[in-house]
Amino acid sequence: MDRRSFLKVIGTAALTAAPVTSARARSNTVDTEFSGILIDTTRCIGCQTCSEVCAELNKLPAPEVEAIDEIEGFRPTTPTQLTVINRFENGDEEIFLKRQCMHCNQPACAAACPTKAMLKTEAGPVIWRADRCMGCRYCMISCPFDIPKFEYDKAVPSIRKCILCFERLKEGETPACAENCPAEALLFDKRRDLLLQARRRISEEPDRYVHHIYGEHEAGGTSMLYLAGIPFEKLAMKTELEHVAYPEFTKTFLYSVPIILMLWPPFLLALNRATEKENETTIENEAEEPWKY
Amino acid sequence: MEVLTDHPVHTGNEKQNIRQFLKSELKPKGKLITPFNVLASVIIALAAVLISIRFSRGLASVTNLSQEFPWGIWIGFDVITGVAFAGGAYVLTFMVYILRLKKFYPIVRITVLNGFLAYVFYAGALLLDLGRPWNVVNPIIGNSFGVSSVMFLVAWHFMLYMLTEFLEISPAIAEWLKMKKAVYILEKLTLGAVIFGITLSTLHQSGLGALFLMAADKIHPLWYSEFIPVLFFVSSIVAGISMVIFEGSISHKVFADRLSMRAKISHDDILYSLAKICAVVMLVYFSLQLLVFIHQQNWKYLETSWGAWYLTEIFGFVLLPAFLFARSVRYYRRLLVQISAALTLIGIIINRLNISVIAYNWQATKHYIPSWMEIEITLAVIFVEIVVLRWIVNRLPILNRFSGTNY
Ligand code: SF4
Ligand code: SF4
């Protein structure tokens, strides 16, 4: 290989590395003005209006509202129920907790998605775009809250999850669940204001709440924030999650990609040149020199 | 066993000759009805039926995948393990073209061909697993770049790597078609392709491990660490070489008539050299695993049944084969080399499945177990690969570079 082809190798490496380097610049922006919902489990009465309006809006089968009395504890969302009310018993007390996508500030699902079908919008909702998704389900592997659900029983399956009523937000409306909650357990606002509000509630009624806002730091912060009267692990919320954004876990690897792409080719070429002299004298037959072209 | 027919002699009209030549080459060589062929056709035919069911009724109709287990053996075995097994190609091209260890030259073509086909078929099996495969071009054609995505990178590297591997075997195709000029040009490109290929392999072998980095809370701590990419890369070296040994010992029986004298003589020499490399790299791999174990302070898990399973993997399928490899080199035991290679391969399967399936979501109440149909289709993929490989090896100058051609 002469100098020109050497340059070619380097050039190709640089080209391949370019998109990666620009990715670094982009993924660092954290918009704090995301919108979200503050979910106050001490106010929720378990009427499940939210799951009903959600099903209606998304043209999904109506949830079996009565079923809740029989099931205690964790119930996940499903492809046909994007938000689910869980019921927990704590002594004689009943506690209800609404479950749905957390709309992470830096979502693992969106970082994972190879097609950018999962997308964190600037308004806050994490949306899914059918025309891009190739159904690899890597978002499901990556989401720390196990939220994206896949329609295994369909020939043309979709990933289903709450998208924070993205279409309604565009029209200037609020998410259907928050708008229709009769108990004011759901408050829709900018995340910053939600955090202030949550702190105020805790400081005004310190005995009513555990002093923790779930979602403030979990998984690097989420747009959905929770308040509760008992520790969150008793409500089947993941409390051992890292307090860093999940895309951070892949950063080291992603950073080393362009470096290897730049360094490996010249290194290998140098190695190839270095071994040349030693072997030259021992080569007797032209056909036995696959490397000498 | 297939019978070798002579290549037709070129005389007169070139074009017509090429056509005749291709026609004769397309015909099957040897007996059609052999136990292997019958078995292969039954398995492939059944898989074709199952695949059509899968595409008309959805993944649930043939797989046991669930919301808790989005990836089963089609990813964990076909893609993740299959690609590790195909690692021999980059290891051997490194030794032959970069380090100029010409001893390994006789097996480089068959290994690269094997690697190429493994990528085509095992990574191709990914299409069966994709829920919306018609969108598979999205990460490729660039309208939807997911640049912060590990999977996006792996997809790209897969593709580019297949191209470089194709370039690496293309001289064989040109030789087969007796296109002297093309052989000359393509061989000139080989070193570039090799360098690019090794770089891409480094990245996507480790990238397959990096896919699981965000599943931090889901994979059992004995298998999850931030070093998964490094472990994947190092183990892909032994996986690749062991596959070369394993596959070589089979093809030396099956394709005996295609081998050059030189290849036969050098076979043992190559075998022990590969075993030596394996022994060393496996010791490195073992030490890395040990370091990760100590670094993460994983002692507390050892008493559980997961701990026992972990120790089985690390001692039974890493340290033991490393030791056996070393012994086989010392005492020139050919069978022992093959046994060690087989143990290593099983160990790699266990390791990759542990991370992607077995120790993934280990706390789940209902764990995923593949359906017989998933296994059947996986078998079919393997059989198709073998059939295609056999077809090519029986025609192209792969095992014996100078057979049947004029130069
Ligand atoms: S909770 Fe999961 S699905 Fe929702 S934004 Fe976060 S990572 Fe994505
Ligand atoms: S399944 Fe779709 S949305 Fe999820 S990661 Fe894959 S392409 Fe993205």
Side-chain angles (χ1 to χ4, degrees):
Chain A
M1 199 195 260
D2 55 18
R3 210 170 61 224
R4 238 182 59 226
S5 37
F6 172 78
L7 287 177
K8 241 186 273 167
V9 172
I10 302 286
T12 329
L15 267 182
T16 326
V20 188
T21 338
S22 61
R24 191 189 317 184
R26 231 173 295 161
S27 62
N28 273 348
T29 51
V30 183
D31 189 349
T32 44
E33 281 304 276
F34 293 140
S35 296
I37 295 179
L38 174 64
I39 301 168
D40 192 332
T41 58
T42 65
R43 295 188 183 188
C44 179
I45 53 171
C47 68
Q48 298 168 77
T49 312
C50 52
S51 18
E52 282 174 321
V53 292
C54 175
E56 209 182 299
L57 190 77
N58 291 294
K59 303 195 181 59
L60 292 167
E64 289 172 38
V65 176
E66 298 78 32
I68 197 159
D69 296 326
E70 282 127 53
I71 314 158
E72 202 258 334
F74 176 72
R75 264 201 304 161
T77 60
T78 68
T80 51
Q81 212 183 340
L82 311 182
T83 183
V84 177
I85 297 287
N86 286 190
R87 187 177 68 95
F88 295 91
E89 285 164 12
N90 184 41
D92 323 326
E93 186 192 15
E94 275 184 326
I95 299 162
F96 299 98
L97 179 132
K98 180 178 180 295
R99 233 174 251 290
Q100 74 295 306
C101 171
M102 299 291 288
H103 298 282
C104 308
N105 288 352
Q106 291 185 64
C109 60
C113 181
T115 63
K116 281 203 172 160
M118 283 284 183
L119 184 76
K120 177 77 177 174
T121 59
E122 286 183 9
V126 176
I127 58 165
W128 174 83
R129 299 178 289 177
D131 55 331
R132 293 179 172 231
C133 174
M134 63 179 194
C136 65
R137 308 190 292 287
Y138 186 31
C139 48
M140 302 170 72
I141 297 277
S142 303
C143 169
F145 301 99
D146 291 320
I147 290 300
K149 296 284 144 73
F150 182 79
E151 297 174 327
Y152 287 102
D153 49 359
K154 290 200 183 161
V156 181
S158 297
I159 294 279
R160 299 307 302 259
K161 72 169 200 69
C162 156
I163 56 164
L164 203 60
C165 291
F166 181 60
E167 297 301 325
R168 285 171 60 99
L169 293 199
K170 273 203 288 197
E171 306 293 312
E173 292 173 76
T174 55
C177 55
E179 187 165 294
N180 289 289
C181 176
E184 293 188 350
L186 308 175
L187 176 67
F188 175 80
D189 209 333
K190 293 273 180 261
R191 185 173 186 268
R192 194 197 303 250
D193 299 325
L194 292 177
L195 281 171
L196 286 176
Q197 174 70 12
R199 288 220 180 81
R200 189 174 313 134
R201 284 190 202 174
I202 292 177
S203 65
E204 275 167 11
E205 285 176 278
D207 297 334
R208 183 184 169 108
Y209 296 104
V210 290
H211 296 191
H212 181 74
I213 307 169
Y214 189 95
E216 184 177 9
H217 299 298
E218 276 78 7
T222 60
S223 288
M224 305 304 253
L225 300 166
Y226 284 87
L227 285 176
I230 61 169
F232 282 101
E233 57 263 29
K234 291 196 181 154
L235 299 172
M237 294 293 272
K238 298 196 175 188
T239 48
E240 277 163 19
L241 292 186
E242 306 281 344
H243 283 191
V244 298
Y246 272 58
E248 291 292 328
F249 290 124
T250 53
K251 281 249 157 92
T252 322
F253 175 77
L254 290 173
Y255 282 6
S256 52
V257 169
I259 299 174
I260 290 183
L261 272 176
M262 299 301 288
L263 291 186
W264 247 223
F267 170 71
L268 292 171
L269 196 60
L271 210 56
N272 169 274
R273 296 287 112 170
T275 48
E276 189 171 33
K277 289 256 157 52
E278 281 164 42
N279 294 297
E280 214 146 41
T281 46
T282 60
I283 292 166
E284 325 89 51
N285 183 349
E286 171 70 17
E288 300 295 330
E289 302 174 66
W291 44 83
K292 203 175 173 219
Y293 295 111
Chain B
M1 204 65 54
E2 308 213 353
V3 182
L4 176 72
T5 56
D6 279 326
H7 287 255
V9 186
H10 280 201
T11 46
N13 190 320
E14 267 295 314
K15 235 187 208 158
Q16 203 185 341
N17 261 323
I18 285 277
R19 211 174 298 147
Q20 263 173 10
F21 168 70
L22 282 178
K23 224 166 157 190
S24 79
E25 289 285 80
L26 275 174
K27 278 194 214 120
K29 297 186 174 186
K31 268 196 294 183
L32 260 188
I33 316 247
T34 61
F36 174 85
N37 287 359
V38 172
L39 183 69
S41 11
V42 170
I43 287 187
I44 294 169
L46 180 56
V49 176
L50 293 177
I51 289 170
S52 65
I53 296 177
R54 173 256 170 273
F55 278 111
S56 54
R57 302 220 199 118
L59 277 163
S61 57
V62 297
T63 71
N64 278 347
L65 297 173
S66 62
Q67 305 299 348
E68 288 80 34
F69 291 91
W71 285 355
I73 58 164
W74 285 357
I75 301 288
F77 181 78
D78 296 20
V79 180
I80 302 206
T81 313
V83 167
F85 283 175
Y90 83 88
V91 178
L92 270 178
T93 53
F94 175 72
M95 297 195 296
V96 169
Y97 294 99
I98 305 295
L99 298 183
R100 297 166 199 253
L101 304 171
K102 56 177 184 157
K103 178 199 297 181
F104 299 106
Y105 186 57
I107 57 168
V108 78
R109 270 197 182 170
I110 178 74
T111 308
V112 173
L113 176 68
N114 246 316
F116 176 69
L117 292 180
Y119 275 85
V120 170
F121 287 103
Y122 302 149
L126 184 71
L127 286 182
L128 302 177
D129 191 76
L130 289 184
R132 309 165 65 87
W134 52 91
N135 277 342
V136 70
V137 286
N138 275 357
I140 298 162
I141 55 179
N143 63 349
S144 315
F145 271 6
V147 279
S148 59
S149 163
V150 177
M151 185 178 279
F152 167 80
L153 287 172
V154 170
W156 259 94
H157 291 169
F158 263 23
M159 256 186 5
L160 292 175
Y161 186 57
M162 281 199 228
L163 262 175
T164 62
E165 277 197 318
F166 185 73
L167 258 183
E168 283 165 31
I169 48 166
S170 60
I173 300 176
E175 270 174 42
W176 172 59
L177 297 172
K178 304 187 169 60
M179 293 151 62
K180 272 193 189 179
K181 245 212 193 104
V183 176
Y184 178 75
I185 297 170
L186 289 170
E187 286 190 332
K188 263 195 168 331
L189 292 174
T190 301
L191 183 62
V194 162
I195 288 180
F196 200 43
I198 296 170
T199 310
L200 291 170
S201 291
T202 314
L203 287 171
H204 71 240
Q205 292 288 0
S206 51
L208 283 179
L211 282 180
F212 294 95
L213 287 175
M214 280 196 282
D217 315 292
K218 299 181 196 173
I219 297 172
H220 191 284
L222 281 171
W223 285 276
Y224 181 87
S225 81
E226 56 189 301
F227 304 105
I228 294 181
V230 181
L231 295 174
F232 263 52
F233 172 65
V234 176
S235 56
S236 79
I237 299 174
V238 279
I241 301 181
S242 296
M243 197 62 192
V244 171
I245 295 173
F246 180 74
E247 183 278 328
S249 53
I250 295 174
S251 69
H252 267 249
K253 293 207 183 84
V254 178
F255 299 115
D257 51 352
R258 296 289 294 185
L259 287 168
S260 67
M261 238 3 242
R262 198 188 137 81
K264 278 182 191 154
I265 295 165
S266 61
H267 181 61
D268 278 8
D269 188 20
I270 291 176
L271 196 69
Y272 293 119
S273 306
L274 290 178
K276 206 187 286 173
I277 299 169
C278 260
V280 174
V281 180
M282 283 193 89
L283 272 181
V284 172
Y285 177 57
F286 178 79
S287 337
L288 283 176
Q289 286 278 16
L290 203 66
L291 282 179
V292 169
F293 181 84
I294 296 167
H295 175 75
Q296 310 218 118
Q297 302 178 327
N298 278 342
W299 325 104
K300 50 186 179 289
Y301 303 110
L302 282 189
E303 282 157 29
T304 63
S305 49
W306 286 108
W309 179 229
Y310 172 79
L311 292 176
T312 314
E313 180 195 321
I314 296 300
F315 286 99
F317 295 97
V318 180
L319 197 60
L320 178 66
F323 172 74
L324 293 181
F325 267 128
R327 254 188 102 78
S328 69
V329 175
R330 187 124 189 229
Y331 299 107
Y332 293 100
R333 294 282 142 74
R334 181 204 286 237
L335 185 66
L336 199 55
V337 177
Q338 286 159 0
I339 291 172
S340 325
L343 276 180
T344 309
L345 292 178
I346 297 171
I348 295 293
I349 296 177
I350 293 177
N351 175 261
R352 298 304 195 260
L353 285 184
N354 270 339
I355 287 165
S356 58
V357 175
I358 300 172
Y360 178 86
N361 246 346
W362 55 289
Q363 283 156 315
T365 39
K366 198 170 162 278
H367 206 284
Y368 158 88
I369 293 167
S371 71
W372 69 268
M373 293 177 279
E374 287 177 81
I375 298 173
E376 212 290 323
I377 291 176
T378 297
L379 277 178
V381 172
I382 297 173
F383 271 99
V384 173
E385 203 241 321
I386 295 176
V387 169
V388 174
L389 179 77
R390 190 181 59 177
W391 190 91
I392 297 178
V393 168
N394 273 320
R395 282 158 185 83
L396 270 59
I398 296 290
L399 285 173
N400 182 6
R401 193 179 158 189
F402 307 104
S403 79
T405 50
N406 311 334
Y407 38 89

